[in-house]
Amino acid sequence: MLARLVTATAVGLVLVASATAASAQTRIAVGERSGATLNAQSPKLNDGSYYGCWVVEPGSGPITIDMMTSFFDAFLVVGTGTDCGESMVPLAADDDSGNNTNAQISGTFTEPRLLIRANAFNAGEEGNYWIEVKAGLPEVEERLGSMDALPEVVSEWSTDGYVCAGAYRAMGDLARNVGRYGNVGTIDYAARDRQVTGQMAANERAAIDFTSSNFVLIALGGFIDDKPQQVSEYLTTLANCDRANGFTPVTRFR
């Protein structure tokens, strides 16, 4: 796949204006992660691809913007203007620097207000995604342990209902990858998902699929990029959720 890359040298580029109405803009702060969905109700570019529009005030230091999804190929654009559509003036763009189907842009921006276009690479692609803005440049992750001897890690995930239900639900996509670890293959995670979800209020369930997708990205990314600590993070979160909900905990190591 050829990446559609727009570098900082394209600051002066002005794209042809579209007749599409201005899209809604969602504010996101540095240090925040938020999820959304691309679908037929989302604004659309001339190439037929859907997008979401976000606004951030980057501050004076470097920032890193990640777009994460397992539903489609992410294409991230940062720029200026009044809207994220065709009239947006791009400063930088990325297709797959976030690994797999994810996109990532980092740098120091002098503009006090940035637009973030969370775009699908191809026309008509739909699904859930996350946007995260962090202070600083991307960290270079050290490879810890191996897939045969997963390292011990401390999970930063809570054991809230939507987190645990999302972790259990993710196993539907991950079982063939992590089924060889500990007692994973003997546990009915679908049943645990149903039990935890059944205890939640209806308005609390909206985040479950977003969280599930994130766990799939974390664990599969670990296998693809040879980062066993990411696989261990997922299994550690599962174990924490199991204990919090009174289940027999998953064991992480083979």
Side-chain angles (χ1 to χ4, degrees):
M1 178 183 298
L2 296 177
R4 297 187 292 177
L5 178 63
V6 184
T7 66
T9 58
V11 173
L13 179 64
V14 179
L15 300 179
V16 177
S18 169
T20 304
S23 58
Q25 299 175 6
T26 304
R27 296 188 66 84
I28 188 169
V30 176
E32 183 179 359
R33 177 194 292 178
S34 187
T37 303
L38 295 183
N39 54 37
Q41 285 70 52
S42 301
K44 186 166 59 174
L45 295 175
N46 288 341
D47 64 4
S49 62
Y50 298 122
Y51 70 92
C53 190
W54 302 76
V55 179
V56 65
E57 296 176 359
S60 58
I63 61 171
T64 298
I65 303 170
D66 285 287
M67 181 180 179
M68 300 163 285
T69 179
S70 59
F71 291 91
F72 55 85
D73 190 6
F75 184 52
L76 188 62
V77 183
V78 171
T80 60
T82 59
D83 177 66
C84 292
E86 304 287 357
S87 63
M88 179 181 178
V89 180
L91 301 177
D94 180 74
D95 175 21
D96 55 11
S97 293
N99 295 324
N100 307 325
T101 56
N102 304 323
Q104 182 182 84
I105 292 174
S106 61
T108 301
F109 299 90
T110 58
E111 293 75 12
R113 177 181 180 273
L114 290 176
L115 295 175
I116 302 171
R117 182 198 290 159
N119 191 198
F121 188 90
N122 298 304
E125 290 184 320
E126 302 181 9
N128 303 328
Y129 69 92
W130 291 88
I131 290 289
E132 183 173 21
V133 183
K134 296 177 288 191
L137 299 175
E139 296 180 3
V140 177
E141 293 190 55
E142 181 182 359
R143 183 180 182 275
L144 302 172
S146 71
M147 291 301 175
D148 289 327
L150 296 179
E152 289 195 35
V153 300
V154 176
S155 173
E156 297 181 358
W157 289 87
S158 71
T159 55
D160 292 340
Y162 75 93
V163 173
C164 293
Y168 296 143
R169 194 166 299 181
M171 192 60 74
D173 294 315
L174 295 173
R176 68 177 60 185
N177 300 93
V178 301
R180 65 188 178 98
Y181 294 104
N183 57 345
V184 171
T186 67
I187 298 174
D188 185 349
Y189 289 99
R192 294 187 178 185
D193 174 18
R194 290 192 297 271
Q195 183 170 331
V196 173
T197 301
Q199 298 169 354
M200 298 169 59
N203 60 349
E204 295 177 318
R205 299 175 187 173
I208 294 176
D209 284 336
F210 288 131
T211 308
S212 176
S213 298
N214 211 8
F215 281 124
V216 171
L217 291 172
I218 289 170
L220 288 184
F223 285 102
I224 293 170
D225 299 321
D226 196 19
K227 294 177 179 176
Q229 66 269 31
Q230 292 184 201
V231 179
S232 188
E233 179 185 8
Y234 170 62
L235 293 176
T236 299
T237 304
L238 275 180
N240 292 343
C241 285
D242 288 339
R243 295 186 185 96
N245 289 282
F247 300 134
T248 300
V250 60
T251 53
R252 295 174 298 144
F253 306 107
R254 188 170 64 176

